[in-house]
Amino acid sequence: MVVSSLRLFVLVVLSLGLVNWVSANSEGDALYALRKSLKDPDNVLESWDPNLVCPCTWFHITCNADNHVTRVDLGNSNLSGHLVPELGKLEYLQYLELYKNNIDGSIPAELGNLKSLISLDLYNNNISGNIPSQLGNLKSLVFLRLNKNKLTGYIPRELTKISTLKVLDVSNNNLCGTIPTSGPFEHIPLENFENNPRLEGPELLGLASYDTNCV
């Protein structure tokens, strides 16, 4: 009986270790997919070695006590290239900081899977396309800064459902339609929407279509 209990204990410990290893490995795969999509002339991603099981030893990566990635800090790093949908697999990620680079392409809809995300900072890049409506799934989001990019389309109304949202800046893009006024948008200053030539508002609820001028 004692031997059987000991074997069971060992199996449980090994199983837990395997779960953590698989999770850490999948997070490392996701981050390495990002590395492969980026041009890095200053070698800030040099430590991102796919042969290491856990990405927690990589520079610019922060993990929690369980070795899950919680921060990616790559702001102002002279990176170019594009974002990858694999980032949506970082389920414990709280901070994605990629501001002041030369990143282009679109914002992957898969970022809407990052349920733990508190801060999404993509400002001062060359990102184009629409703001994904899936970002409305980020129910822990406090900071969303997308200003100084080349974003088009309207501001997704799904964002008005994020009760935690305190700071939003989409200025200096090419957004269209009207500025939302409900939910957290009630307290967002109008200057955070300026320099979008086709953006109108604030909208009058029930009186104006929010997709005005969006073709």
Side-chain angles (χ1 to χ4, degrees), residues 1-127:
M1 182 66 70
V2 173
V3 174
S4 298
S5 299
L6 182 59
R7 285 177 177 172
L8 179 60
F9 174 76
V10 171
L11 285 174
V12 169
V13 170
L14 289 176
S15 298
L16 290 174
L18 180 61
V19 168
N20 285 336
W21 182 86
V22 170
S23 178
N25 196 47
S26 65
E27 291 178 344
D29 289 345
L31 290 170
Y32 189 65
L34 176 64
R35 178 188 174 179
K36 290 192 296 183
S37 75
L38 297 175
K39 295 180 180 178
D40 176 25
D42 296 337
N43 293 320
V44 297
L45 304 177
E46 187 174 10
S47 66
W48 290 28
D49 185 350
N51 295 314
L52 298 177
V53 172
C54 182
C56 297
T57 60
W58 299 356
F59 291 152
H60 311 291
I61 298 297
T62 302
C63 293
N64 61 17
D66 296 320
N67 288 329
H68 293 298
V69 175
T70 57
R71 292 187 67 111
V72 176
D73 289 296
L74 290 171
N76 199 22
S77 296
N78 196 27
L79 300 170
S80 59
H82 61 274
L83 304 178
V84 293
E86 286 86 349
L87 288 172
K89 297 178 181 179
L90 302 174
E91 60 178 306
Y92 296 91
L93 190 66
Q94 297 179 339
Y95 296 87
L96 182 55
E97 307 296 326
L98 289 164
Y99 56 86
K100 293 185 179 179
N101 285 292
N102 297 299
I103 296 170
D104 55 22
S106 60
I107 300 173
E110 288 80 2
L111 295 190
N113 296 330
L114 302 176
K115 301 298 178 63
S116 300
L117 201 65
I118 294 172
S119 178
L120 177 57
D121 281 326
L122 302 177
Y123 62 88
N124 277 65
N125 279 287
N126 295 305
I127 298 171

